[in-house]
């Protein structure tokens, strides 16, 4: 078990370094000079050269990459933001809690609604409720996040005037962004729960449980659901990545200053260190969650780490 | 060939029983018609501005109203279908060709080749897809073609994994051994014997991927990283409608509806095809 966890952590580090190399490389070969976006299009050549020298942009690609990796890995230094003139890690530190808070509550909400919905549909397969839920979840996975957000603003802020359409600092401000974020995740989780449960419900041990006269509620909750959990957990952990990157859209719609909005601003201003930092944060968070879930499986199901 | 025909025949029979898939197919056909005959169908030119008709609510002359430049929303939606379908199809072609090639090579040759290629795919999958699309498209700059590449690259790993697992399950069968014994080259075996047998999952994945690609395209354009105005991309139209949400809410509704209908149709077709092509996997 320890060996398995150790291997997973090692793999995670490898993946993180590779992600850093990929993002750095993509941005390095991006046309456009960050010096010009920072200093203005008509900045004089001397100040541009000074800017390049200050941030090491005049060095060849391998040297820049090596320096970036070295600083990030051994000193946890993600570089300086060209625009805000402050360390990227500091900028991220102020923004991460906002994004994490939204993503966390969105995961909670979509799990709390998605799993029961899927379970109910699987118990009452082909009933009216099941058809209705299937239709709604189909619409749910097909709705673009930003449109959900706009519709919610239109309904609850513009027409009804119940909820604010900007920010995420108070509870009432957080409702719309969280619902927007969880919309498609609820649908994805419900669909996965339904199909996973349907598979389990047909198996022999469920028939055995029923045959020995167990109450239906116990059969579903104690025998079926735990055995259907693995694919559901996988999809939830995958959704977490989707939610973190979905925050770029949600934060743009609701004017929330989280990591997503920071990255979007950085993209428009060619502030490469900030983009790198943001992508790195989201990818690392995503990988950590996936790793945690994988290790969790190995505890739940001892067959898994044998491979 | 006759076996292939009969399989197609049975697939179609099974597909015909799936009403949602048929409905999706009709919707898709209608959209394709919109895209192909956009010039003929659209009542107005998508870029024609009319400053006397700024943000007029839906009426008899402008069925879906006009936008902030007095352009006809319906005409823009019809032209938008052209852009969305183009980007969707071409982006998926990119991921299909790249992904299937990588997956086939990895699965067929196995060993070190397989290990290296699939680890690369794993690394790409560590970056959430929409995030990667955003980074690539911001690196390439805005534009139709760049958008296709950005969206196309993001689903390469999915196709590669699918292709690899199909190849692995087929590789060991006798008819591959027979082909090899007859002296067929690797390329010939992959293209003529393996690929046709992997077609079913690839077709399903392609259909679902077109839906994803259209969704990503709209998202990127909404964020200002995709197709630039005046081209009528659905996501871009929603982004332009945002400042007017208080007074002209209808501008925020119709483009989103167009995106949703398209994606629902493609998802229905994809699900239907999956059930039809793989009768063992019951719902």
């Amino acid at each position: 078990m320890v060996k398995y966890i150790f291997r997973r952590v090692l793999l995670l580090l490898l993946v993180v370094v590779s992600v850093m190399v990929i993002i750095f490389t993509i941005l390095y070969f991006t046309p456009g000079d960050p010096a010009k976006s920072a200093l203005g299009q008509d900045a004089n050549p001397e100040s541009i050269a000074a800017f390049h020298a200050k941030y090491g942009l005049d060095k060849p690609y391998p040297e820049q990459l090596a320096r970036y990796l070295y600083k990030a890995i051994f000193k946890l230094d993600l570089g300086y933001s060209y625009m805000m003139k402050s360390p990227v890690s500091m900028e991220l530190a102020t923004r991460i809690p906002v994004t994490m808070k939204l993503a966390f509550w969105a995961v909670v909400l979509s799990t709390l609604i998605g799993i029961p919905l899927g379970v109910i549909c699987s118990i009452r397969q082909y009933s009216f409720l099941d058809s209705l839920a299937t239709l709604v979840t189909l619409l749910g996975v097909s709705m673009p996040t930003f449109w959900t957000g706009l519709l919610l603003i239109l309904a609850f802020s513009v027409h009804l005037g119940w909820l604010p359409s900007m920010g995420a600092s108070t509870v009432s401000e957080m409702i719309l962004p969280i619902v927007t974020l969880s919309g498609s995740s609820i649908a994805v989780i419900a669909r996965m729960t339904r199909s996973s449960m349907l598979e389990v419900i047909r198996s022999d041990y469920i028939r055995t449980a029923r045959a020995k006269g167990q109450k239906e509620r116990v059969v579903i909750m104690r025998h079926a659901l735990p055995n259907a959990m693995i694919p559901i957990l996988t999809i939830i952990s995958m959704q977490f990545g989707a939610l973190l990157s979905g925050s770029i859209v949600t934060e743009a719609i609701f004017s929330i200053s989280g990591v997503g909005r920071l990255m979007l601003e950085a993209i428009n201003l060619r502030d490469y260190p900030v983009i790198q930092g943001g992508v790195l944060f989201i990818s690392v968070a995503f990988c950590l969650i996936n790793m945690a879930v994988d290790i969790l499986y190995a505890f739940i199901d001892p067959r898994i780490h044998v491979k | 060939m006759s076996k292939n025909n009969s399989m197609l025949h049975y697939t179609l029979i099974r597909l015909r029983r799936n009403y949602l898939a048929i409905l999706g197919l009709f919707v898709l056909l209608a959209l394709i018609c919109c895209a192909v005959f956009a010039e003929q169908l659209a009542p107005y030119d998508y870029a024609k501005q009319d400053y006397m008709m700024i943000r007029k609510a839906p009426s008899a002359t402008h069925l879906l109203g006009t936008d902030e430049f007095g352009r006809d929303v319906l005409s823009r939606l019809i032209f938008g279908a052209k852009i969305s379908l183009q980007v969707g199809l071409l982006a998926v072609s990119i991921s299909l060709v790249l992904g299937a090639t990588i997956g086939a090579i990895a699965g067929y040759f196995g060993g070190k080749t397989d290990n290296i290629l699939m680890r690369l795919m794993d690394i790409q999958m560590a970056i959430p897809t929409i995030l990667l699309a955003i980074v690539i498209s911001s690196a390439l700059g805005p534009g139709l073609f760049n958008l296709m590449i950005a969206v196309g690259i993001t689903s390469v790993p999915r196709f590669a994994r699918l292709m690899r697992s199909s190849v692995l399950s087929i590789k060991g069968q006798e008819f591959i051994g027979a082909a090899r014994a007859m002296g067929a080259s690797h390329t010939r075996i992959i293209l003529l014997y393996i690929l046709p047998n992997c077609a079913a999952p690839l077709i399903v994945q392609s259909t679902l991927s077109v839906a994803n690609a259209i969704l990503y395209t709209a998202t990127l354009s909404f964020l200002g990283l995709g197709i630039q105005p005046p081209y009528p991309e659905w996501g871009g139209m929603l982004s332009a409608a945002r400042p007017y949400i208080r007074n002209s809410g209808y501008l925020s509704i119709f483009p989103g509806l167009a995106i949703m209908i398209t994606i629902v149709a493609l998802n229905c077709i994809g699900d239907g095809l999956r059930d039809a092509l793989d009768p063992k996997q019951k719902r």
Side-chain angles (χ1 to χ4, degrees), chain B residues 135-238:
Chain B
V135 173
I136 296 176
S137 70
S138 71
L140 293 173
L144 197 67
F145 188 65
N146 290 343
L147 192 64
M148 289 171 195
I149 297 176
V151 173
I153 289 177
T154 53
S155 30
V156 168
R158 216 174 298 162
F159 280 98
R161 286 184 151 194
L162 193 67
M163 187 70 186
R164 176 177 173 271
S165 63
S166 313
V167 170
L168 284 180
S169 68
I170 291 166
K171 190 169 75 163
Q173 290 182 21
E174 275 103 5
F175 69 99
I176 301 295
R180 195 170 293 140
M182 284 164 71
S185 67
H186 291 316
T187 326
R188 191 180 166 83
I189 291 177
I190 291 178
L191 288 179
L192 267 111
Y193 295 87
I194 292 181
L195 195 62
N197 287 294
C198 302
L202 284 179
I203 292 170
V204 174
Q205 183 61 48
S206 302
T207 319
L208 297 172
S209 288
V210 173
N212 261 333
I214 290 177
L215 205 57
Y216 288 166
T217 309
T219 307
L220 290 173
S221 300
F222 181 78
L223 294 173
L225 299 167
I227 294 159
Q228 303 292 308
Y231 288 107
E233 206 285 329
W234 293 336
M237 287 171 73
L238 281 176

Side-chain angles (χ1 to χ4, degrees), chain A residues 234-249:
Chain A
T234 310
I235 208 90
I236 292 177
S237 72
M238 298 290 283
Q239 281 305 304
F240 194 78
L243 288 172
L244 279 176
S245 31
S247 68
I248 297 183
V249 175

